[in-house]
């Protein structure tokens, strides 16, 4: 493709949207770094391949996962936890790329969380039909730190619920390059992803990839 230095204005918008107290959507914040992020993801999954983890209840998750950074999120029959070793390889997770750390810190700072240094990056891969049911993220020790999420590839409808599973969920469309910072009172809200629709993305093809940066320890 011909390099294109100009903004022709035909892309999805950038800008910030306050979703709720503590939840800030940075539209298109990662879009111009997406190729570099995908190259890093390819290098990570060469060492720690995507896999469909087992829930404690024995179901395979429809989203495939891997991790980078000092700690990685794992699920199996014994439960959910963060651990330094990839259970599939017996080796440490690949290191967190500098570009990942900078992106997460820059996004967190935009939302008022200065000095965010994640120690885990969970990488979720959704092929069409894959989903994530409503859940809370509460396996992290320090719930005062935000979670930063980066969406790449196919669009997805994010479900943003409340503090209780039965609370009615709002739907938010997340597009390639969107970054969301989830902190403060939003940190423990239930959330999920509706089944990803069939499609093909110019950079990622038939997949959506989501990075979530966490401070777990
Ligand atoms: C709101 N991932 O990995 S990212 C997850 O798109 C997860 O793969 C989804 O939920 C995905 O745990 C959603 C957005 C997200 C991540 C963490 C949150 C939203 C959140 C934690 C608290 C509140
Ligand atoms: Fe989550």
């Amino acid at each position: 493709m011909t390099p294109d230095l100009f903004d022709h204005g035909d892309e999805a918008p950038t800008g910030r949207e306050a979703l709720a107290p503590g939840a800030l959507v940075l539209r298109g914040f990662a879009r111009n770094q997406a190729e570099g992020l995908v190259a890093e993801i390819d290098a990570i999954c060469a060492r720690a391949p995507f896999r469909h983890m087992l829930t404690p209840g024995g179901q395979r998750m429809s989203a495939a996962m891997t991790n980078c950074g000092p700690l990685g999120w794992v699920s199996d029959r014994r439960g959910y936890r963060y651990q330094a070793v990839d259970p599939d390889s017996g080796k440490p997770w690949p290191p967190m790329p500098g570009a990942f750390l900078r992106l997460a810190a820059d996004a967190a700072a935009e939302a008022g969380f200065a000095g965010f240094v994640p120690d885990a990056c969970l990488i979720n891969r959704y092929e069409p039909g894959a989903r994530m049911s409503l859940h809370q993220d509460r396996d992290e020790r320090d719930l005062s730190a935000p979670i930063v999420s980066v969406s790449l590839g196919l669009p997805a409808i994010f479900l943003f619920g409340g503090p209780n599973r039965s609370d009615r969920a709002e739907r938010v469309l997340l597009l390639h390059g969107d970054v969301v910072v989830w902190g403060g009172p939003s940190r423990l809200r239930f959330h999920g992803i509706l089944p990803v629709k069939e499609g093909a993305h110019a950079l990622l093809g038939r997949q959506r990839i989501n990075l979530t940066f966490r401070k777990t320890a």
Side-chain angles (χ1 to χ4, degrees):
M1 206 166 96
T2 314
D4 188 347
L5 301 175
F6 301 100
D7 177 5
H8 295 276
D10 56 355
E11 305 282 347
T14 54
R16 50 168 68 216
E17 295 168 24
L19 210 56
L24 182 69
V25 184
L26 301 168
R27 291 288 177 197
F29 192 78
R31 201 188 294 146
N32 63 8
Q33 324 176 32
E35 287 89 345
L37 298 175
V38 170
E40 297 287 13
I41 293 163
D42 287 343
I44 290 162
C45 72
R47 297 169 59 174
F50 283 108
R51 78 289 305 262
H52 295 270
M53 294 188 194
L54 215 51
T55 66
Q59 302 275 97
R60 285 280 158 208
M61 295 185 181
S62 63
M65 297 175 181
T66 187
N67 293 273
C68 65
L71 291 164
W73 186 85
V74 299
S75 179
D76 59 22
R77 295 306 299 244
R78 284 146 55 208
Y80 311 128
R81 66 199 167 273
Y82 286 95
Q83 62 178 50
V85 166
D86 175 350
D88 283 10
S89 68
K91 294 190 291 208
W93 298 103
M96 185 108 61
F100 281 24
L101 284 169
R102 284 190 292 277
L103 172 58
D106 288 351
E110 288 282 327
F113 295 94
F116 178 58
V117 184
D119 59 11
C121 175
L122 171 59
I123 306 175
N124 296 141
R125 185 191 66 196
Y126 300 79
E127 290 176 324
R131 59 194 282 276
M132 192 173 286
S133 55
L134 275 184
H135 67 278
Q136 287 174 299
D137 288 23
R138 50 186 322 150
D139 302 328
E140 302 76 26
R141 196 187 310 255
D142 177 8
L143 296 172
S144 71
I147 289 180
V148 174
S149 77
V150 179
S151 292
L152 297 168
L154 291 177
I157 296 173
F158 176 74
L159 294 174
F160 191 35
N164 298 106
R165 186 182 294 279
S166 58
D167 292 334
R168 155 176 187 88
E170 176 181 347
R171 293 173 178 220
V172 182
L173 183 64
L174 293 178
L175 301 175
H176 178 69
D178 289 348
V179 177
V180 192
V181 183
W182 315 89
S186 289
R187 180 65 180 72
L188 284 176
R189 285 173 65 164
F190 277 86
H191 58 276
I193 293 286
L194 288 182
V196 169
K197 283 206 294 184
E198 189 57 69
H201 184 267
L203 183 60
L204 279 157
R206 289 178 73 251
Q207 56 184 338
R208 169 176 187 264
I209 291 183
N210 182 266
L211 311 176
T212 50
F213 295 96
R214 300 139 186 271
K215 186 174 174 338
T216 71

